[in-house]
Amino acid sequence: MTGNGLILLMGTILLHGCLARPPDEQDYYHQEILTRDHYYAYPDPEESQTPLEPDPEPEEPQEPGMEVTYETQDTRDEIYRVSKKDFQPKKINKKEDKTHVQMPAKNGSKKSEKNKKSPEKLVFGATEENAFQEVRESCPPLGLETLKVTDFQLHASTVKRYGLGAHRGRLNIQAGVNENDLYDGAWCAGRNDVHQWIEIDARRLTKFTGVITQGRNSLWLSDWVTSYRVMVSNDSHSWVVSRNESGEMILQANSEKEIPVLNELPEPLIGRYIRINPRSWYEDGNICMRVEILGCPLPDPNNYYHRRNEMTTSDNLDFRHHNYKEMRQLMKVVNEMCPSITRVYNIGRSHQGLKLYAMEMSDNPGEHEVGEPEFRYMAGAHGNEVLGRELLLLLMQFLCQEYQAGNKRIRHLITNTRLHFLPAVNPDGFEKAADLGSELGGWSLGRWTSDGIDINNNFPDLNSLLWEAEDRPRNIRRVPNHHIPIPEWYQHENATVAMETRALITWMEKIPFVLGGNLQGGELVVSYPYDMVRSPWKTQEYTETPDDHVFRWLAYSYASTHRHMTDSSRRPCHSEDFNKEEGTVNGASWHTVAGSINDFSYLHTNCFEISIYLDCDKFPHASELPEQWENNRESLIVFMEQVHRGVKGVVRDVYGRGIASAIISVEGINHDIRTASDGDYWRLLNPGEYAVTARAEGFTPSTKNCAVGYEMGATRCDFILAKSNLARIKEIMQKFGKQPVSMSLRRRRIRFRMGHQA
């Protein structure tokens, strides 16, 4: 055959192949032919295994007809020309596998929660066979929410616009404030018909076991899918539809846009690609979805694909989610392993009466040592942001093990610092979120306390008091630039203040903390004060503290040592790109908040506090915890070490006694701190030379030049204050029973006498 004839034949074949497909899919399939590699199926390694015995646990009673009700009140099959047999009630075989779950999240959670606890059963003594059965039945998420699944792995039939593309079809993704073209809240199809789909490329042979769906995140629109079917493929061309005994299986989806709905497949589907094909949707809305896929990667003999973040950890720690009782037990175990350096105590109770447990780690637990700074990590102010809670529990175990193993770095940290870890600020909210499991709680379930308060923003607004005083220099009511007192109205019993918030304030006032980190979730960034804008009527504006340069360094010290936070190539979690600030952001320039814990800590105590947002996923699956530990371990340690930067010392009188509440001022920085009860202080500063002044009532101020170096370790700057002349006069006159004469009172008496004489 001639060259021209061969070219003509190939062109005819390609043209025929294109015409054999729907017109709207021609470009997509042509791209697939050119760019996608075929992956040949391997047999499921579990096919040859003997079936395990059924779980002896009694199953939850199901509502009659739950698995077969496909009819809709608005006769959606007629509106969208869907074949009626897709929605006809199907007879259920009683022997049919009951893992086929078509229910709202509330019902589906029990099954998910049971599967989620499988590692727990293995740890606490369940038989290996039963434990293996539970693991076999449930697979972890592929990682759409955590961004393990990249944008290049997501495809769709059509899209409404770029901001509603397939890359936005991730579970719990949040739209931008303006819901603009770049950052909207779901994948939305360009047309409303039953030929639309969203596709996920797992990049390796995978056993798919379930699908979780949500509608579009939007303040203004109501878009969600009410039913869909699932298809899998090994090459993205030949597709196998999920079926049951009655034919193609139609899965019921959402009845509103935010609550996640889990559908577990009656039989796992094996393939590399999976498609979700909407069959009906809300009648006044459009086809819009956010999804997560449950699947187990199968062995790959050719090493065709390695997951981007697939990694292991060498630390022998308890990588699982802990409920309240298990958290308390774990803290007790760590205390028993390292009794000489740990102490477990509680700072108060939650609204439901749960104790707020904290762990102290120090070479002398239970007492404040002069010259030793105090550091704190707290987590779980939003109860559904669970990663921080588990990281602190892992950190406790790690520090104990490394201290016992003789790790010099850890021993130096614990010997020279008093560390405090509060893993569950809002235990009531956590229990509510944990009831539904890691994927089914949605974006906000468990965020607030049981009485509906957001702890993170429940502190008194001291910013307004300070700024009002600064804007009116002649204001009679003078406000200091530090240790601003709490307003009286806030302390009333009927004030809207959570019990947990009051417990935190008491804890913060009792212990002279120097540095703190508030672990949160839902983003990947470190936020530093101020969190409230100073300009009225603005919602976003960079609002710096007098210590802005210090806060920027503290935030960067964590972000730069995190495995991904400063990665310029990573995609944003939701609608904000923090790469331009290298993984850090000023809180007020992000979104303004009055009464934040960071601002309150800075203005009411000596403690510099930042918020650390650990991951896009607030409640990651237990299988993600080892990797999250590796992502954050070094950052957690490095940030604790920053408490030893700046200057420190003791302020004493001439007799060597420590002076409590002495004021430490740094020239050029309009924010002071105060000494602790023993006269010791710590002032966080960046490298440089500073004029530091110590003053106290009744004493003559003293100023020293203190140089802060780049090496780790605070510069020592001690002060000895002598009594002022006025204080000495007062002491002498009090000793002899006399009081010093008030000059203003003496003038008034003279005027009074002169008036009588006239």
Side-chain angles (χ1 to χ4, degrees):
M1 182 179 293
T2 64
N4 292 336
L6 180 61
I7 293 173
L8 179 62
L9 176 61
M10 292 178 64
T12 303
I13 293 173
L14 286 175
L15 178 62
H16 177 75
C18 291
L19 294 176
R21 300 182 180 89
D24 58 310
E25 297 183 357
Q26 289 179 15
D27 293 340
Y28 177 79
Y29 276 104
H30 187 254
Q31 178 185 359
E32 293 295 297
I33 293 171
L34 295 177
T35 61
R36 285 195 177 175
D37 297 323
H38 290 267
Y39 187 86
Y40 298 99
Y42 292 91
D44 186 353
E46 295 181 2
E47 288 180 356
S48 61
Q49 295 178 355
T50 305
L52 296 175
E53 296 180 3
D55 192 355
E57 289 188 22
E59 296 191 6
E60 299 272 1
Q62 295 183 344
E63 298 177 13
M66 181 180 296
E67 298 189 16
V68 298
T69 306
Y70 298 120
E71 295 181 337
T72 56
Q73 295 179 356
D74 55 6
T75 62
R76 203 173 310 285
D77 54 340
E78 297 179 3
I79 296 175
Y80 300 108
R81 301 191 181 96
V82 182
S83 174
K84 289 190 176 182
K85 72 176 183 178
D86 289 342
F87 291 90
Q88 288 177 353
K90 300 178 176 60
K91 296 181 180 179
I92 295 181
N93 187 341
K94 293 183 179 179
K95 296 181 181 180
E96 185 175 324
D97 189 352
K98 293 188 179 182
T99 58
H100 177 195
V101 181
Q102 298 180 22
M103 57 185 69
K106 197 168 186 178
N107 296 328
S109 66
K110 295 181 179 179
K111 184 74 176 179
S112 177
E113 185 69 13
K114 185 173 74 173
N115 292 332
K116 183 174 74 69
K117 292 181 179 179
S118 56
E120 185 178 319
K121 292 188 176 182
L122 186 60
V123 171
F124 289 109
T127 63
E128 184 177 354
E129 184 177 8
N130 288 340
F132 176 77
Q133 178 185 5
E134 297 218 8
V135 171
R136 184 178 67 86
E137 289 180 350
S138 179
C139 289
L142 290 187
L144 276 80
E145 184 175 6
T146 61
L147 303 185
K148 276 191 171 183
V149 174
T150 68
D151 290 350
F152 299 105
Q153 294 173 251
L154 302 176
H155 304 273
S157 52
T158 60
V159 299
K160 189 175 291 291
R161 51 185 168 81
Y162 176 78
L164 295 169
H167 64 290
R168 302 295 294 176
R170 301 172 181 271
L171 191 72
N172 285 322
I173 201 167
Q174 301 296 294
V177 176
N178 300 319
E179 299 181 19
N180 54 29
D181 190 54
L182 290 178
Y183 302 112
D184 218 316
W187 160 68
C188 290
R191 299 188 297 272
N192 288 339
D193 59 50
V194 295
H195 302 297
Q196 306 306 310
W197 45 260
I198 183 171
E199 176 183 308
I200 297 92
D201 176 6
R203 287 187 174 171
R204 65 187 298 176
L205 203 62
T206 301
K207 179 175 70 174
F208 300 108
T209 62
V211 178
I212 303 173
T213 60
Q214 284 175 309
R216 176 181 178 180
N217 175 250
S218 173
L219 294 173
W220 322 110
L221 302 173
S222 298
D223 299 322
W224 64 82
V225 168
T226 57
S227 69
Y228 61 90
R229 63 177 182 172
V230 177
M231 301 178 286
V232 296
S233 173
N234 286 340
D235 58 8
S236 80
H237 302 296
S238 301
W239 292 91
V240 176
V241 180
S242 178
R243 307 178 70 87
N244 55 23
E245 294 183 358
S246 302
E248 289 187 2
M249 186 169 59
I250 304 298
L251 303 175
Q252 291 216 3
N254 302 80
S255 58
E256 58 87 63
K257 57 188 176 184
E258 288 299 336
I259 299 178
V261 174
L262 165 67
N263 277 289
E264 292 184 315
L265 303 178
E267 293 293 338
L269 297 175
I270 308 297
R272 169 176 166 176
Y273 304 92
I274 183 170
R275 273 186 185 178
I276 311 301
N277 170 216
R279 308 300 291 179
S280 63
W281 46 94
Y282 178 54
E283 62 180 340
D284 294 327
N286 300 294
I287 296 178
C288 293
M289 299 185 78
R290 292 176 286 167
V291 302
E292 181 62 88
I293 306 298
L294 306 183
C296 297
L298 297 181
D300 186 354
N302 292 337
N303 293 323
Y304 174 79
Y305 171 70
H306 296 281
R307 293 177 66 183
R308 175 173 61 90
N309 288 327
E310 194 168 12
M311 62 181 302
T312 58
T313 179
S314 59
D315 296 328
N316 183 24
L317 307 175
D318 189 12
F319 293 105
R320 62 191 178 93
H321 288 298
H322 299 78
N323 60 30
Y324 179 78
K325 184 177 180 180
E326 293 164 348
M327 178 195 73
R328 183 179 60 187
Q329 181 63 26
L330 178 60
M331 296 173 73
K332 181 180 178 182
V333 169
V334 173
N335 177 239
E336 292 173 349
M337 288 177 59
C338 299
S340 63
I341 61 169
T342 62
R343 178 177 70 99
V344 178
Y345 64 101
N346 75 81
I347 69 168
R349 291 181 180 270
S350 71
H351 187 265
Q352 296 290 341
L354 299 179
K355 292 183 178 179
L356 308 180
Y357 284 105
M359 172 168 283
E360 174 192 344
M361 303 192 83
S362 172
D363 57 342
N364 287 297
E367 62 177 287
H368 171 73
E369 298 180 71
V370 176
E372 189 170 287
E374 310 253 2
F375 176 93
R376 70 167 180 256
Y377 271 133
M378 66 174 70
H382 296 152
N384 62 334
E385 295 170 6
V386 179
L387 180 55
R389 169 196 183 101
E390 296 304 328
L391 287 180
L392 290 190
L393 295 178
L394 293 169
L395 183 61
M396 296 174 195
Q397 302 171 60
F398 177 79
L399 294 178
C400 174
Q401 291 179 7
E402 294 300 303
Y403 186 90
Q404 289 183 329
N407 185 316
K408 293 183 179 179
R409 182 186 185 189
I410 301 303
R411 278 184 167 268
H412 181 270
L413 178 64
I414 292 177
T415 302
N416 295 282
T417 320
R418 192 180 181 206
L419 307 171
H420 301 261
F421 307 121
L422 180 62
V425 176
N426 180 11
D428 298 344
F430 169 79
E431 294 300 315
K432 185 180 295 185
D435 283 344
L436 292 184
S438 63
E439 306 303 320
L440 299 179
W443 187 250
S444 59
L445 182 68
R447 175 185 177 93
W448 300 278
T449 63
S450 59
D451 53 341
I453 296 175
D454 186 339
I455 296 176
N456 200 54
N457 309 325
N458 190 222
F459 293 81
D461 174 17
L462 304 182
N463 304 56
S464 298
L465 297 178
L466 175 64
W467 295 335
E468 181 183 348
E470 290 178 347
D471 293 339
R472 299 179 180 178
R474 297 183 180 180
N475 194 347
I476 299 176
R477 187 182 61 179
R478 302 184 63 183
V479 177
N481 65 7
H482 68 292
H483 283 252
I484 300 174
I486 297 175
E488 291 185 6
W489 66 265
Y490 187 87
Q491 303 179 51
H492 292 166
E493 292 184 3
N494 59 351
T496 307
V497 183
M499 291 181 60
E500 297 87 343
T501 308
R502 295 192 188 277
L504 284 175
I505 291 176
T506 302
W507 186 49
M508 295 161 71
E509 292 176 335
K510 181 179 179 181
I511 300 176
F513 291 113
V514 180
L515 180 61
N518 179 18
L519 305 186
Q520 300 189 58
E523 263 295 351
L524 192 59
V525 69
V526 180
S527 171
Y528 54 90
Y530 287 124
D531 290 330
M532 179 180 176
V533 297
R534 183 163 187 169
S535 300
W537 312 112
K538 286 191 176 181
T539 58
Q540 291 178 311
E541 181 184 51
Y542 194 105
T543 308
E544 63 182 30
T545 67
D547 287 288
D548 187 64
H549 56 295
V550 177
F551 275 114
R552 289 172 68 93
W553 165 253
L554 293 173
Y556 185 72
S557 70
Y558 193 100
S560 62
T561 49
H562 188 279
R563 289 184 63 242
H564 301 303
M565 204 171 282
T566 55
D567 182 3
S568 60
S569 63
R570 70 174 180 88
R571 76 178 294 279
C573 290
H574 301 284
S575 59
E576 299 283 348
D577 187 357
F578 300 109
N579 287 330
K580 58 185 178 182
E581 297 292 337
E582 298 184 295
T584 67
V585 65
N586 174 258
S589 69
W590 184 9
H591 51 254
T592 184
V593 170
S596 75
I597 188 172
N598 293 349
D599 290 2
F600 173 81
S601 180
Y602 180 67
L603 295 175
H604 185 67
T605 72
N606 288 344
C607 185
F608 287 36
E609 184 140 4
I610 62 175
S611 290
I612 303 167
Y613 294 81
L614 299 163
D615 191 66
C616 305
D617 191 350
K618 292 182 175 183
F619 196 155
H621 191 271
S623 61
E624 300 289 334
L625 294 179
E627 180 177 339
Q628 290 293 350
W629 169 246
E630 289 295 322
N631 290 345
N632 290 276
R633 179 183 57 193
E634 181 65 16
S635 301
L636 290 167
I637 297 172
V638 166
F639 185 68
M640 288 190 289
E641 292 173 335
Q642 303 311 305
V643 76
H644 294 284
R645 287 197 177 273
V647 295
K648 67 177 182 179
V650 182
V651 180
R652 298 185 175 93
D653 61 16
V654 293
Y655 302 104
R657 296 172 298 196
I659 302 175
S661 297
I663 298 174
I664 305 297
S665 303
V666 178
E667 184 178 350
I669 301 177
N670 187 28
H671 181 80
D672 304 333
I673 63 167
R674 298 194 181 188
T675 58
S677 58
D678 296 316
D680 48 348
Y681 76 93
W682 308 263
R683 182 57 164 96
L684 296 177
L685 294 168
N686 285 345
E689 293 187 1
Y690 300 92
V692 182
T693 301
R695 60 171 58 88
E697 186 177 355
F699 293 88
T700 302
S702 175
T703 301
K704 285 187 175 182
N705 290 325
C706 304
V708 178
Y710 287 91
E711 65 279 358
M712 186 61 68
T715 301
R716 186 89 187 200
C717 269
D718 295 327
F719 293 89
I720 297 178
L721 302 185
K723 288 283 187 179
S724 64
N725 291 334
L726 180 59
R728 289 174 181 172
I729 293 173
K730 287 182 178 180
E731 286 182 357
I732 293 173
M733 299 190 72
Q734 287 176 356
K735 184 176 181 181
F736 293 100
K738 297 180 179 180
Q739 297 296 327
V741 177
S742 171
M743 296 303 296
S744 60
L745 179 60
R746 185 174 180 180
R747 292 192 193 98
R748 286 199 297 269
R749 288 176 178 174
I750 293 174
R751 293 194 193 102
F752 181 77
R753 290 172 184 171
M754 292 176 63
H756 276 283
Q757 290 176 0

